[in-house]
Amino acid sequence: MGRPIFIDTDTASDDAVALMLAFRFRGPDVKALGVVAGNCPLEQATINALFIRELCGMDLPVHQGADRPLQRPLETAQFVHGEDGMGDVGLVPTQLADAPWAPSPGHAGDALIALAESHEDGIELITLGPLINIAIALGKAPWLAGRISRCFIMGGASDYYGNITPVSEYNIWADPEAAEAVFASGMPITMIGWDISRKYAVIDDQEAASLRQIGTPTAIVAVDCQATLRRFCQEVSRLAGFDLPDPIAVAVALDEQVVVESFDAAVFVSTEDGLTRGQTILDDRAMTDRPANVRVISKAGRERFMAVLREGLA
């Protein structure tokens, strides 16, 4: 048992696996989920989060948040994860009206504020999607940053190699203004960029089959929902399998032994349009006035991650 955890997600295929791991290892500590538009529209992301909650037998509130970025139109990643965000293999409904579950009332940002208000010793925050809900919460309650004991952000790239532009990662690119507000907030952040997934969390076809053979409902869903992601990684990302950015970010939050190397830096986000939109700019030499409040993960242990993944799906 540790500090209360709030997870914010734009639930698609890799988020689904990340939630499975969080529920498996820290289930009692996970107090609520916030859902944000990103990988897919808000309603579909909510359906997917509710589906994973039920699949894992969890009883916790799921709150809907922002359905679009702060200043920009929503541009989803359905071309990566499928129209339903879960591989388009028929796992989930496509409308809340057809789902046997319903979200809890209240905005996700307000739910985060309420959880922090009720825990003076601080809470942990894990973000798996665009940072819109978190920026909204900070705008309403600037003191929130001081109540976050640890914030783990899946986003950015420490090697400046992107998955939506040559230098930008999708979660940050989707709403760079929100991301900049969060990185500038002063909360203690651990950033797990797409480079960590690309280098240490690619699951090839043989490994995917082995994971599916674990045979649990979670293991089967975890592999089957990657169908469209697998094709995207083969055709666009040029990876030898599908990668799992959100699960390895959660693994870092769960198990310090997954981390092999990290460094502290101030992180800025480019809000300019064009190829550099959403680029994370890392200052690890004190060349700016912003404190180096972000721990940037630069190397991870693949064997340790795979052990966490296998145990989590078992």
Side-chain angles (χ1 to χ4, degrees), residues 232-306:
F232 178 84
C233 288
Q234 181 178 19
E235 297 169 4
V236 180
S237 299
R238 301 181 183 179
L239 301 177
F242 59 81
D243 71 312
L244 295 174
D246 290 337
I248 198 167
V250 166
V252 167
L254 296 172
D255 185 352
E256 180 62 26
Q257 294 185 58
V258 175
V259 178
V260 172
E261 187 176 283
S262 65
F263 61 92
D264 294 334
V267 175
F268 298 81
V269 177
S270 172
T271 57
E272 301 294 325
D273 289 329
L275 291 176
T276 62
R277 167 183 162 181
Q279 180 180 14
T280 45
I281 301 163
L282 313 180
D283 174 19
D284 61 350
R285 294 176 288 163
M287 298 181 72
T288 62
D289 293 334
R290 183 172 294 183
N293 65 300
V294 179
R295 182 191 186 200
V296 179
I297 306 304
S298 52
K299 291 184 180 179
R302 177 174 171 77
E303 289 186 8
R304 187 69 180 182
F305 166 65
M306 291 301 295

Side-chain angles (χ1 to χ4, degrees), residues 97-112:
D98 299 327
W101 333 283
S104 299
H107 191 281
D110 294 330
L112 173 58

Side-chain angles (χ1 to χ4, degrees), residues 81-143:
H81 298 280
E83 287 300 306
D84 67 2
M86 296 286 283
D88 290 336
V89 295
L91 291 170
V92 293
T94 55
Q95 296 184 30
L96 269 176
D98 299 327
W101 333 283
S104 299
H107 191 281
D110 294 330
L112 173 58
I113 292 170
L115 184 65
E117 279 182 323
S118 63
H119 292 85
E120 293 184 1
D121 292 336
I123 65 172
E124 295 185 17
L125 174 61
I126 300 174
T127 72
L128 306 177
L131 295 168
I132 313 165
N133 289 341
I134 316 306
I136 289 172
L138 287 166
K140 290 182 176 182
W143 54 263

Side-chain angles (χ1 to χ4, degrees), residues 157-172:
S158 69
D159 64 355
Y160 304 104
Y161 194 93
N163 62 1
I164 189 71
T165 81
V167 296
S168 305
E169 179 275 331
Y170 173 78
N171 284 345
I172 308 301

